[in-house]
């Protein structure tokens, strides 16, 4: 017996902008409206890792106080969690200058 499962849903729309670069020890908040400009999903999670929605990624907290440069991922899920969109953002944190 064969079973066909179809997902009948629309992926949410998510539009992001990279946050402004900061100098250490400042942190970056990727949860703000300046970073997430459009999000039609009902659940939003924040990830670090190349496979943000797979087993290799990890849910990133606190997304409001990122301390390390890198690419972070914002995942927006529809009411049906099988329907989602992932958008990357580049976080840049410059090291503090050492004058000594």
């Amino acid at each position: 017996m064969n079973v066909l499962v179809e997902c009948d849903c629309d992926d949410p729309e998510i539009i992001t902008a990279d946050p402004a670069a900061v100098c250490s020890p400042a942190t970056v908040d990727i949860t703000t409206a300046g970073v997430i400009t459009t999000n039609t999903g009902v659940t939003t999670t924040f990830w670090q890792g190349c496979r943000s929605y797979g087993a290799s990624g990890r849910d990133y907290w606190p997304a409001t106080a990122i301390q390390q440069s890198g690419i972070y991922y914002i995942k927006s899920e529809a009411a049906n969690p099988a329907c989602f969109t992932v958008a990357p953002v580049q976080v840049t944190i410059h090291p503090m200058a050492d004058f000594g």
Side-chain angles (χ1 to χ4, degrees), residues 60-78:
Y60 188 82
W61 294 107
T64 57
I66 294 174
Q67 299 176 339
Q68 183 177 355
S69 293
I71 298 175
Y72 294 82
Y73 299 88
I74 302 171
K75 179 180 178 182
S76 177
E77 290 183 0

Side-chain angles (χ1 to χ4, degrees), residues 24-87:
S24 180
T27 60
V28 174
D29 181 352
I30 62 171
T31 68
T32 67
V35 175
I36 305 171
T37 60
T38 302
N39 186 358
T40 62
V42 296
T43 303
T44 304
T45 53
F46 302 88
W47 299 79
Q48 180 182 28
C50 62
R51 295 186 181 186
S52 58
Y53 47 87
S56 298
R58 67 179 179 90
D59 201 351
Y60 188 82
W61 294 107
T64 57
I66 294 174
Q67 299 176 339
Q68 183 177 355
S69 293
I71 298 175
Y72 294 82
Y73 299 88
I74 302 171
K75 179 180 178 182
S76 177
E77 290 183 0
N80 177 347
C83 303
F84 60 88
T85 303
V86 177

